[in-house]
Amino acid sequence: MNPFLELGIREEVVNAISELGFEKPSEIQEKAIPVLLTGNDDFVGLAQTGTGKTAAFGLPLLEQLDFSQKHPQALILCPTRELCLQISKDLEKFAKYVDNVHVVAVYGGANISDQLRQIRRGVQIVVATPGRMLDIIGRNAIDFSNVKYVVLDEADEMLNMGFKEDINNILSETPDEKKTWLFSATMPAEVRRIAKNYMTDPVELTVGTKNTGNANIEHHYYLIKAKDKYAAFKRIVDSNPDIFGIVFCRTKIETQDIAEALIKDGYNADSLHGDLSQQQRDKVMKRYRDRSLQLLIATDVAARGIDVSDVTHVINFSLPDETENYTHRSGRTARAGKTGISLSLVNVKELSKIRHLEKIIGKPFEKKQVPQGAEVCEKQLFSIVKKIENVEVNDEQISPFLPAIMENLESLSKEDIIKRFASLEFNRFLDYYKNAPDLNIEARDGGREDRGDRRDGRSREGSKGYTRLFMNLGSVDEFSRGDMLGFICNNANISGKSIGKIDLKGVFTFFEVQDAEVEKVFQGFQGVDYNGRQVRIEVSGETRGEGRSDRGGRSRGGDRGGRREGGYRGGDRGGRREGGYGGGERSGRREGGFSGERRDRGERSSNGGGFRDFSGKRKESKSKY
Ligand code: ADP
Ligand code: MG
């Protein structure tokens, strides 16, 4: 008999989860389900990430609720919109063969009227982030008087995010007799306090050792100089051609910077952080899930609880401030019994943090060497060979061209042809890593890499007489090139003729502006806000560095290399960056303070009229995550 049936889950649900590949319950499910099915107790479940907590509370809920009634009977609170969507989707999947199950996902950043409509139509399960939930409660748009179960998922993170008051207020709307089920990966004192305040004699279950990472995760660290971090990171990525990773940064600014630098360097990467609109986040997540992105650069909060299967690497570009977040980060890999690597890039000063983490996860980190240039090249070469070996040949499509191809290559031996095909991609790695220094800290001169890093060979300098600027809005914000042109001209109050090339990318745009008009652009966009995001304009890092001759004394390759590896723009952020990427050379460079100060000034709506409604709405969050 199916073990879920034995636990007391009904056949329709068992059939649905079998289709999802659930053969037997995970440990937390096996232990929690019987307790929760009685419906008699408050409950605290502690289990590391990726152990199946959603089903541990979701399956019992599907047994307990009366789906012939259409009022809310269960409320699930979770910290982020992504998690909210994920949980509601999971529940719908579990309930695929159960009739009349209605789940609504209630989260900020999306149209509230759709959510209200769904609630009015009748729902039994509400999955919500606290802010939006309170909003709806405030509108008297939901009746919680029949709620029997409240689930607090990722309770520790909700507290970290400052939702304590909100949770208080929401819970006070629910009946006293309801049962509260709290799930968390860790149990800091705050969570314990919540359990004490809101629960009566909860049944407490711990699966695995508290705070311990998943046994299938290998923990690695690389010891490097702070300034070499980006270069080392790239080497690690380059030596893992099949990497599918999440890169964690501490702040959204760092997240964006790294994503931008990576995109410039030709990688499939994008960032996920609290400053993106709901739509942008959904798009980024979809691209990552679909694997059109290889690297997702995220803040702790934005990536919390995200369940994407087959993540190969979690990369701690910066170690988290809160050690507990390390467990959450590394839990994004090695999901559902798979294996994964969590790696950290640290400098000597941060070594003590590694020692501390070792104590927390209860196992040692392995010290790894940043691969040497030659090793990276070898890895890439064999990856290419494998690709050639496995590529799918479409005989029908290619056959008409074959005679001509054969004729062209006739004079080459098989060996020559192989060499050439492999070189096609390989050469750029050879070029890049030619003379690449050892980045490991033992190296006497932890030297800088040469700057020849044009993975795609394109030049990025602005045209003559133009300055290339960067803006943090792009095609995912639904701009066409025409829209963008209008947006720039309206705000800067300049003519379209002053604008050169517009290079519209996913989450950002490069555009050229006649040198004489550059200042107007900066003036015009001061304090401008688009869909709740501060519009950020900066001189494209490379144009500044390379396109100008007035810098003098910059001929030494090493000097330039350092900046490149940093790859981030913005000396204006120098102060915030203790890590000091790219070296002091850059700090203070952004004298004019293009973005830094501006950001803090009041918001101004930027309705330039004409093209679209660009009027900004109030920013939802000012958090740096
Ligand atoms: P957690 O909330 O503990 O971090 P999730 O509930 O998100 O974990 O589950 C992690 C992954 O494991 C999901 O992809 C889920 O579909 C899968 N999963 C959960 N339970 C089982 C099971 N019993 N068998 C196989 N896969 C499972
Ligand atoms: Mg979860």
Side-chain angles (χ1 to χ4, degrees), residues 24 131 141 214 257 303 364 374 457 502-503 591:
K24 55 178 180 30
N214 174 329
D257 286 349
I502 296 183
D503 207 359
E591 340 64 273

Side-chain angles (χ1 to χ4, degrees), residues 53-54 83 153-154 305:
K53 291 193 282 292
T54 315
L83 204 49
D153 193 25
E154 306 270 2

Side-chain angles (χ1 to χ4, degrees), residues 4 21-22 24-26 29 48-54 307 335-336:
F4 283 102
F22 292 22
K24 55 178 180 30
S26 67
Q29 291 161 2
Q48 62 210 22
T49 46
T51 51
K53 291 193 282 292
T54 315
D307 181 37
R335 316 269 302 163

Side-chain angles (χ1 to χ4, degrees), residues 299-541:
T299 57
D300 289 295
V301 170
R304 189 62 182 271
I306 281 178
D307 181 37
V308 174
S309 33
D310 303 321
V311 171
T312 58
H313 291 72
V314 164
I315 296 164
N316 296 281
F317 191 84
S318 301
L319 285 173
D321 291 329
E322 310 252 337
T323 44
E324 252 155 26
N325 275 334
Y326 183 85
T327 327
H328 288 292
R329 288 180 175 190
S330 50
R332 299 307 108 215
T333 182
R335 316 269 302 163
K338 306 240 170 61
T339 57
I341 293 172
S342 171
L343 63 87
S344 305
L345 297 163
V346 297
N347 59 41
V348 180
K349 280 191 215 142
E350 294 169 315
L351 259 185
S352 60
K353 285 196 184 175
I354 294 290
R355 300 297 162 235
H356 181 60
L357 287 172
E358 286 178 330
K359 278 193 206 119
I360 289 186
I361 63 166
K363 91 187 202 190
F365 277 55
E366 218 178 300
K367 181 170 187 292
K368 291 284 183 181
Q369 295 288 313
V370 179
Q372 304 297 340
E375 291 170 57
V376 177
C377 290
E378 192 181 322
K379 281 272 168 52
Q380 286 292 341
L381 182 59
F382 283 103
S383 158
I384 293 163
V385 170
K386 218 170 88 193
K387 265 192 214 152
I388 294 178
E389 201 181 339
N390 296 331
V391 69
E392 228 175 280
V393 174
N394 186 330
D395 278 314
E396 205 183 320
Q397 298 282 334
I398 198 143
S399 57
F401 304 104
L402 273 182
I405 298 174
M406 292 302 183
E407 200 180 298
N408 271 300
L409 301 179
E410 206 173 29
S411 61
L412 301 174
S413 69
K414 178 179 172 188
E415 202 188 331
D416 277 332
I417 292 176
I418 292 175
K419 271 192 224 160
R420 279 163 206 234
F421 269 96
S423 303
L424 218 52
E425 289 224 19
F426 183 52
N427 283 351
R428 60 173 201 210
F429 286 98
L430 274 186
D431 275 354
Y432 178 47
Y433 284 112
K434 194 169 52 190
N435 305 326
D438 187 350
L439 295 184
N440 295 289
I441 208 129
E442 295 90 348
R444 265 185 54 227
D445 127 67
R448 292 163 169 187
E449 267 179 282
D450 191 52
R451 188 185 175 113
D453 180 44
R454 288 280 162 70
R455 280 175 65 117
D456 58 7
R458 266 181 294 137
S459 163
R460 295 181 184 83
E461 291 174 23
S463 313
K464 205 167 173 349
Y466 284 82
T467 304
R468 197 157 189 258
L469 300 180
F470 159 92
M471 184 194 296
N472 63 334
L473 296 173
S475 56
V476 300
D477 301 285
E478 320 269 346
F479 277 97
S480 66
R481 272 230 290 275
D483 290 336
M484 183 49 81
L485 183 65
F487 187 47
I488 297 166
C489 293
N490 275 338
N491 279 287
N493 200 14
I494 53 175
S495 136
K497 278 188 246 147
S498 321
I499 311 287
K501 263 207 305 258
I502 296 183
D503 207 359
L504 205 63
K505 303 280 191 195
V507 295
F508 60 88
T509 299
F510 288 112
F511 60 99
E512 292 176 346
V513 177
Q514 278 174 357
D515 291 341
E517 307 283 39
V518 170
E519 208 40 49
K520 282 199 193 157
V521 176
F522 284 117
Q523 292 289 339
F525 277 99
Q526 230 179 68
V528 167
D529 194 290
Y530 180 72
N531 270 353
R533 290 177 71 202
Q534 184 85 43
V535 179
R536 192 153 56 90
I537 309 274
E538 290 174 7
V539 174
S540 157

